[in-house]
Amino acid sequence: MAPRGEPPHKAALRLALDVANGRHALSKFIPIALWLADAVLCSLIIWKVPYTEIDWVAYMEQVAQFVSGERDYTKIKGGTGPLVYPAAHVYVYTGLYNLTDSGKNVLLAQQLFAVLYMAALALVPPYIFPLLILSKRLHSVFVLRCFNDCYAAFFMWLTIYFFQRRQWTVGSIAYSFGLGIKMSLLLSLPAVGMVLFLGRGLGGSLRLAWLMAQVQLVIALPFLAKNWQGYLSRAFELSRQFKFEWTVNWRMMGEELFLSKQFALVLLVLHALTLLIFVTSRWLQPAGRSVVSLIPPMLRGQSPFTPAEELRVSSRVTPGYVMTTILSANVIGLLFARSLHYQFYAYLAWASPYLLWRAWPNMPVVYLLWAVQEAAWNTFPSTNFSSTAVVNVLLITVVLIYFGTSKPVKSGERKKAKASKKKT
């Protein structure tokens, strides 16, 4: 409450600060207001900024062959080359193909992607909300480029949304379908497996893993029946050679080292080691057990937990744990990725503000790192300096989240924590 006799301008400033810092009844309307402001911004971008053609025409050319009856993946090609995405990508863009007059109505496509952007933003918890709507590159990826990463990122956030609400089956289906759009979601697979294992137990997680495999089988069935080897080699090609000219992250290494097998192997080993460190010392914390004690019974096909332990462990799989674990795995994967392209920012832009604040709730630090990241991803073409910035911000994020999650608050301890805060 403002002191008596306080000048109007100071009272207005006090009110603004109270609202901005969550100390006023109006504070709860800030995310809604900013979400609506972003909707207006998307409309202005579509209206004022020229559309940039990169992959849309190629997507439509490939879909046209599918619509015409082609089911052999090795024969489906477009202006940018062969079809290299899983089957769900084909179905999503077939829908867009039909809605946009065979891809000719690009304006309508942009509007549909703006709706997708707003739907994805609605799924993202309003953590440091201003940073969630200020990204120039993210708006570009969605409404000016119409990349399939936008749909994959949407299903990643949809997976987190359902897992946070303990809707494990629906979340697993959402994740598998997103993976069926683009295999970039494989980066989050270790964390998804860990969340399901702790949240549903060994038996439940194995059943959900089988369900996800069935989803992949069903969506790919028309292509598998025609040429299963061709589908698997194209849709999930892990040995693809990336072009140095498009890389965002490792340009400073030089083209010769970037293309070398030794560099790829080093990144793979570092990725695996970092995941192992997070699994054993961070992601298994809700279990209250070491990984060494869990492995023997699992190798015998038995659950490492008693029914009572499963319930206790599952109760510790909180919404914060789900979001932190999945987004951490995603950022670790991006850090050690052989090559990042600009559209990969769809998986990072909304994740970084949360992870940074979760690890180190210091506003100047979070905003500074976000600004460096945003500037680096908006540098086109990438330079040695910008790629160094991209890699270092990812590295700092991973290090901060590791040290910042050393002592998670378990369920049952939350009320104690809140009570202690009230006493102090």
Side-chain angles (χ1 to χ4, degrees):
M1 186 174 181
R4 290 185 178 182
E6 185 177 36
H9 69 281
K10 288 188 177 181
L13 178 60
R14 183 186 297 275
L15 174 62
L17 290 174
D18 287 343
V19 172
N21 288 282
R23 298 191 295 264
H24 195 278
L26 293 176
S27 300
K28 61 184 178 181
F29 295 108
I30 291 179
I32 298 173
L34 291 174
W35 187 87
L36 293 173
D38 204 356
V40 174
L41 178 59
C42 287
S43 300
L44 290 173
I45 291 172
I46 294 173
W47 179 31
K48 290 291 186 180
V49 183
Y51 164 79
T52 305
E53 170 54 38
I54 297 181
D55 285 334
W56 174 259
V57 171
Y59 291 163
M60 294 298 102
E61 291 171 346
Q62 294 164 353
V63 164
Q65 295 165 54
F66 169 74
V67 172
S68 298
E70 184 58 72
R71 296 296 182 269
D72 187 340
Y73 245 59
T74 62
K75 296 180 180 178
I76 302 178
K77 297 177 175 63
T80 58
L83 176 59
V84 292
Y85 306 117
H89 161 88
V90 177
Y91 302 141
V92 167
Y93 278 85
T94 296
L96 293 170
Y97 178 89
N98 292 324
L99 289 171
T100 60
D101 187 22
S102 304
K104 299 182 184 69
N105 193 342
V106 177
L107 177 60
L108 177 57
Q110 289 183 270
Q111 294 168 342
L112 292 172
F113 270 83
V115 172
L116 175 69
Y117 172 91
M118 297 308 302
L121 181 59
L123 292 173
V124 180
Y127 222 85
I128 317 182
F129 208 99
L131 295 188
L132 301 181
I133 68 171
L134 293 176
S135 174
K136 176 183 176 183
R137 175 58 66 188
L138 188 62
H139 286 90
S140 172
V141 168
F142 270 85
V143 301
L144 296 179
R145 306 295 191 272
C146 302
F147 286 121
N148 60 354
D149 299 84
C150 304
Y151 280 92
F154 170 80
F155 279 99
M156 181 186 77
W157 283 103
L158 194 63
T159 300
I160 292 173
Y161 176 86
F162 285 124
F163 282 175
Q164 286 180 319
R165 285 150 184 80
R166 311 184 73 79
Q167 297 178 21
W168 310 114
T169 300
V170 181
S172 298
I173 293 173
Y175 175 76
S176 188
F177 192 82
L179 180 60
I181 294 173
K182 194 166 185 179
M183 67 175 184
S184 303
L185 290 197
L186 281 174
L187 299 179
S188 301
L189 182 59
V192 169
M194 185 60 62
V195 168
L196 292 177
F197 169 62
L198 297 177
R200 289 289 290 114
L202 179 62
S205 61
L206 290 176
R207 287 190 292 272
L208 290 171
W210 173 233
L211 173 63
M212 288 189 281
Q214 287 178 303
V215 171
Q216 291 299 314
L217 179 63
V218 168
I219 63 177
L221 202 54
F223 306 105
L224 293 173
K226 183 68 176 181
N227 181 355
W228 68 270
Q229 291 176 314
Y231 174 77
L232 294 178
S233 66
R234 286 287 173 83
F236 297 98
E237 184 183 0
L238 298 175
S239 59
R240 191 182 312 157
Q241 186 76 358
F242 298 99
K243 293 183 178 180
F244 179 73
E245 62 183 297
W246 293 113
T247 188
V248 175
N249 53 337
W250 295 113
R251 182 173 296 278
M252 70 285 194
M253 305 301 292
E255 186 169 5
E256 183 177 353
L257 180 58
F258 173 83
L259 295 174
S260 68
K261 292 183 179 180
Q262 293 84 350
F263 181 58
L265 181 60
V266 168
L267 290 176
L268 181 61
V269 171
L270 289 175
H271 187 187
L273 287 175
T274 304
L275 285 175
L276 182 62
I277 291 170
F278 270 79
V279 167
T280 56
S281 61
R282 292 297 179 268
W283 298 347
L284 269 178
Q285 285 173 334
R289 301 256 299 273
S290 69
V291 67
V292 175
S293 67
L294 299 177
I295 291 177
M298 292 174 65
L299 291 177
R300 297 192 297 268
Q302 301 172 349
S303 174
F305 307 116
T306 65
E309 285 177 325
E310 279 196 358
L311 288 175
R312 185 164 59 251
V313 171
S314 180
S315 71
R316 296 169 183 166
V317 181
T318 61
Y321 171 85
V322 169
M323 188 164 168
T324 301
T325 304
I326 292 179
L327 294 184
S328 296
N330 180 60
V331 172
I332 291 169
L334 293 176
L335 171 61
F336 296 110
R338 174 92 173 266
S339 181
L340 297 179
H341 295 172
Y342 288 98
Q343 57 266 39
F344 277 69
Y345 203 47
Y347 309 104
L348 181 62
W350 287 322
S352 291
Y354 169 80
L355 290 175
L356 291 171
W357 189 263
R358 170 74 175 83
W360 192 5
N362 183 294
M363 187 173 294
V365 172
V366 173
Y367 274 73
L368 175 61
L369 289 172
W370 176 89
V372 172
Q373 173 180 275
E374 181 70 18
W377 281 85
N378 276 292
T379 302
F380 178 81
S382 64
T383 64
N384 290 343
F385 182 79
S386 69
S387 64
T388 300
V390 166
V391 172
N392 277 292
V393 173
L394 286 170
L395 177 60
I396 291 171
T397 303
V398 170
V399 171
L400 287 179
I401 200 65
Y402 177 80
F403 288 104
T405 56
S406 59
K407 296 180 180 179
V409 178
K410 299 177 181 179
S411 67
E413 295 178 356
R414 291 180 175 275
K415 292 182 179 179
K416 294 180 183 178
K418 290 181 179 179
S420 64
K421 286 182 179 179
K422 289 180 180 179
K423 292 177 181 179
T424 55

